[in-house]
């Protein structure tokens, strides 16, 4: 009997939880705020679903019910992606070692 | 158009890049590189999605337009937001992830063909379960984050909202969601799908309103975790590895942060979720005691004198510093002290502020080198050997009652041993208790000098007196 592809995805999911567990414990506490903003940004990879939904509309009917939800989701996720990565960058920029000053 | 296998490989690569992005945060030196990995992962995921759909109709133009609109809004927010408002920003961003998850689930439900999930009315069972779970968790994340945002922003009172039967109601609604999903699978009825989402929105609100301001670091971390699980749920629906990996990473990240925050407050996760902390602790007994005990209070001149004659000073910042935006004035004060060869370090309690790492970011913004900033367990032994502790905007995290008074609601919480310093300078606006609603014994100790003023103003005055 063949293994259902769902089981493979579940395996990836569970292994990723373990990876997440070990990686996040190694994050230094002083960077917990950037950690939250960057996890925010990467979880917006949900935009791939929004893009698929939006592109599914036909040329005559670009804004079908389904693709309209997709379009809105694109805006929401894009705010998060740009906002999340940029604000993280802005924060991390401040964590540079200050040289010359003591 | 690229094959499904090839795009799956690319999604895997972007998942790996996301892992590396988090990995980079293990040290400030590697963190910026980590962020670039994250950005690269995101670009790969988006480009591959375009290529795998392949049909570039007029829709593409709109997709790009909306992408740019969203991106511009996001970039604008990212550059404008003051660092003190990070907790609200993160809560707001969580709500967007949640809502996006809901909308993607709805889009998939309304047009399952484009996602290869079957046809309307006969969506594959597994997909239906996955998308309704994704939508439900997404909806809870959305409405919960909105409440957290309103509380952090001060639009809604930070005090817990409690009514009788609250937990019972939540339980019933939780069960109702599962029952509805079960019937959704049997009947594929639209109205049940909408019901699931509507109940979930309600649950999100009900979950967060009983949680008080002091527990906000836990709430934000928890919502972070939820947004991850929602993304993973959608990832299963779309059979997308990048989304599954990311969801798992974010989910466990948020869960770990919640755990760290709970431990730092010596509270169980369950008691935080049940809420009500800090609502009814202001008993009359503590108020009476307060009136009887004398408090020494001083002014900026006294404080400057004390610090000038010290050889080591430890700064203990808290949420009050963020509210007063005092971090830059503080840095100025520290610069002056350092010129007089006084050793200055910063001690940060894990729950200082309204989100994990909040104080560290503010100090970094004020150009404080991160190697002068220490976590609780690394610096706590130093208080006994230091001359002055300068407590600015922190309160409950310095309360010795957590160690001595088993009746105190915060008993057992790890606290900074501020009272062991030769003298303590405590900047505070009044004697009012902190968010936990507990009176701080530290105010009445012989070696404590209270500085009643706004944190920023007091610090500026001290700076003037240091000359």
């Amino acid at each position: 009997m063949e293994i259902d592809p769902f089981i493979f995805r579940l395996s990836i999911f569970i292994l990723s939880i373990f990876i997440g567990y070990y990686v996040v414990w190694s994050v230094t506490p002083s960077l917990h705020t950037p950690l939250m903003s960057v996890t925010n940004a990467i979880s917006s990879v949900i935009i791939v679903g929004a893009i698929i939904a939006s592109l599914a509309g036909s040329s005559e009917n670009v804004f079908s019910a389904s693709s309209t939800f997709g379009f809105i989701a694109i805006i929401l996720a894009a705010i998060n992606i740009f906002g999340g990565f940029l604000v993280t960058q802005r924060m991390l920029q401040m964590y540079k070692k200050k040289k010359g000053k003591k | 158009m690229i094959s499904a296998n090839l795009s799956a490989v690319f999604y895997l690569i972007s998942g790996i890049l996301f892992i590396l992005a988090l990995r980079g945060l293990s040290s400030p030196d590697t963190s910026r590189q980590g962020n670039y990995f994250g950005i690269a992962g995101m670009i790969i995921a988006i480009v591959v999605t375009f290529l795998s759909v392949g049909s570039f109709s007029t829709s593409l133009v709109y997709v790009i337009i909306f992408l740019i609109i969203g991106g511009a809004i996001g970039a604008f927010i990212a550059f404008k937001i003051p660092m003190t408002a990070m907790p609200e920003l993160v809560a707001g961003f969580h709500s967007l992830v949640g809502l996006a998850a809901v909308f993607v689930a709805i889009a998939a439900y309304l047009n399952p063909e484009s996602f290869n999930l079957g046809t309307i009315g006969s969506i594959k069972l597994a997909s239906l379960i996955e998308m309704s779970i994704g939508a439900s968790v997404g909806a809870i994340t959305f409405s919960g984050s909105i409440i957290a945002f309103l509380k952090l922003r001060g639009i809604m009172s930070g005090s817990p909202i409690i009514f009788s039967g609250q937990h019972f109601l939540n339980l019933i609604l939780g069960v109702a969601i599962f029952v509805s999903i079960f019937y959704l699978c049997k009947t594929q009825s639209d109205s049940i799908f909408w019901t699931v989402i509507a109940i979930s929105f309600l649950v999100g609100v009900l979950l967060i309103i009983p949680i008080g301001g002091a527990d906000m670091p836990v709430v934000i971390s928890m919502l972070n975790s939820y947004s991850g699980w929602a993304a993973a749920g959608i990832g299963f629906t779309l059979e997308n590895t990048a989304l599954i990996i990311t969801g798992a990473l974010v989910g466990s990240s948020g869960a770990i942060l919640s755990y760290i925050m709970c431990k730092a407050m010596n509270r169980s996760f369950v008691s935080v979720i049940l809420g009500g902390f800090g609502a009814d602790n202001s008993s009359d007994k503590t108020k009476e005691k307060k009136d009887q005990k004398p408090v020494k209070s001083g002014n900026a001149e006294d404080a400057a004198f004390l610090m000038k004659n010290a050889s080591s000073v430890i700064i203990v910042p808290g949420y009050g510093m963020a509210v007063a935006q005092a971090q830059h004035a503080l840095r100025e004060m520290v610069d002056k002290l350092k010129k007089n060869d006084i050793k200055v370090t910063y001690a940060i309690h894990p729950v200082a502020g309204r989100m994990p790492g909040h104080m560290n970011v503010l100090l970094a913004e004020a150009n404080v080198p991160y190697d002068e900033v220490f976590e609780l367990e690394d610096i706590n032994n130093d208080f006994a050997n230091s001359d002055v502790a300068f407590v600015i905007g922190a309160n409950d995290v310095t309360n010795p009652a957590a160690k001595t008074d088993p009746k105190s609601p915060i008993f057992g919480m790890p606290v900074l041993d501020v009272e062991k310093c030769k003298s303590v300078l405590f900047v505070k606006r009044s004697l009012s208790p902190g968010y936990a609603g507990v009176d701080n014994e530290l105010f009445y100790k012989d070696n404590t000098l209270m500085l009643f003023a706004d944190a920023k103003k007091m610090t500026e005055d001290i700076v003037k007196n240091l000359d």
Side-chain angles (χ1 to χ4, degrees), chain A residues 5 9, chain B residues 1-13 48 52 239 241:
Chain A
R9 284 191 282 278
Chain B
M1 183 157 172
I2 57 175
S3 77
N5 285 333
L6 189 59
S7 53
V9 171
F10 278 113
Y11 284 133
L12 179 63
I13 293 173
V48 168
S52 66
E239 310 185 341
T241 346

Side-chain angles (χ1 to χ4, degrees), chain B residues 117-170:
Chain B
L117 305 176
T119 52
I120 296 172
S122 62
I123 298 173
K124 279 187 278 180
L125 180 65
S127 309
L128 200 56
I129 298 174
E130 290 154 5
M131 75 170 75
S132 41
I133 291 176
S136 171
V137 179
I140 293 173
T141 313
F142 170 70
S143 55
S145 301
I146 292 288
I147 300 294
F149 175 83
L150 294 176
K151 283 194 172 193
L152 286 165
R153 191 85 229 177
I155 298 169
M156 211 173 127
S157 155
S159 54
I161 299 170
I162 303 164
F163 52 89
S164 60
Q166 194 164 21
H167 304 315
F168 185 65
L169 178 65
N170 286 346

